[in-house]
Amino acid sequence: MKKIFLYLIIISFYFSCNKENYVTPIEKSEIIKPIQMPKDFSFEFNYFTDSYNSKTKKFKRNYQNGNKTIKVELNKNELEEIYKLFKNNNFEKLPNNFENENIITQPTISITLKLNENNKNTSKTFTIGVGETATSIGKNFENISDRIHSILKDKQSVKNLKQSDIYLE
């Protein structure tokens, strides 16, 4: 009887320590689906003196005496990156119009983003004090808008434009 008991302990010890071949099943809710950019995806970006519409591929910069519009085409990788930013930052769940918490800097800037996908248009406007860092849900918005602005500013045709002569006071 002692031998059987000893064998059972050894066998159970062996199986409890040998888990390298054991795979835990994945729950359906744990499966992360890759983000697929829909064919009709486009966006609009309005930031102080600069604006861009990815559908028309038009970038516009405002000046005191008018504006200048140029064609700026984003490549597929840039568009996919921007689309993923909209999704990963829960753009649709942000309020339609909101301000940075406790704006302490004047003047302020309002930034507007519009997401167009699957025949649905979503527009959000975020207001922040000049030089302030976004807090709370404003971070999600700023993650998207800052990256879009960075991609656009890196385009040679935008670099070739004269800087705007409109300034905040």
Side-chain angles (χ1 to χ4, degrees):
M1 183 72 169
K2 286 183 181 181
K3 285 185 180 183
I4 294 174
F5 184 69
L6 184 60
Y7 285 127
L8 287 174
I9 289 176
I10 292 172
I11 290 171
S12 63
F13 179 73
Y14 173 76
F15 284 112
S16 66
C17 292
N18 188 13
K19 290 191 174 185
E20 63 185 274
N21 292 326
Y22 181 73
V23 178
T24 22
I26 298 175
E27 296 290 325
K28 280 186 178 180
S29 62
E30 294 175 353
I31 297 174
I32 299 173
K33 296 178 184 174
I35 298 173
Q36 295 287 334
M37 182 177 73
K39 291 186 187 300
D40 70 339
F41 165 68
S42 66
F43 70 92
E44 294 176 43
F45 168 79
N46 293 296
Y47 178 83
F48 191 47
T49 60
D50 295 343
S51 63
Y52 180 71
N53 182 319
S54 69
K55 190 171 190 172
T56 62
K57 299 173 178 60
K58 291 189 178 177
F59 179 90
K60 182 171 85 173
R61 178 161 288 160
N62 294 317
Y63 299 95
Q64 288 182 7
N65 295 321
N67 62 57
K68 174 79 173 169
T69 302
I70 60 173
K71 183 177 182 175
V72 176
E73 194 160 347
L74 300 180
N75 64 43
K76 185 179 179 186
N77 289 340
E78 291 166 329
L79 288 169
E80 285 176 348
E81 177 186 353
I82 291 168
Y83 181 74
K84 287 177 183 175
L85 280 168
F86 275 106
K87 293 300 166 189
N88 291 336
N89 286 284
N90 298 311
F91 181 75
E92 291 91 349
K93 293 180 182 176
L94 295 174
N96 289 339
N97 292 296
F98 62 108
E99 294 182 347
N100 199 35
E101 293 177 2
N102 305 319
I103 291 181
I104 55 172
T105 307
Q106 293 294 329
T108 60
I109 294 176
S110 291
I111 307 162
T112 301
L113 290 174
K114 294 179 183 177
L115 169 65
N116 308 302
E117 64 170 333
N118 302 320
N119 296 317
K120 182 181 171 193
N121 301 319
T122 307
S123 179
K124 312 286 181 175
T125 300
F126 176 56
T127 302
I128 187 168
V130 174
E132 288 184 356
T133 302
T135 57
S136 183
I137 59 174
K139 282 270 188 214
N140 292 38
F141 189 95
E142 199 172 59
N143 289 339
I144 305 165
S145 64
D146 284 357
R147 184 63 185 133
I148 291 171
H149 204 211
S150 174
I151 289 170
L152 291 169
K153 288 191 317 185
D154 283 345
K155 295 293 184 182
Q156 192 59 49
S157 55
V158 175
K159 287 180 181 180
N160 292 340
L161 282 176
K162 185 179 113 187
Q163 290 294 319
S164 178
D165 55 359
I166 299 173
Y167 301 99
L168 293 169
E169 297 178 7

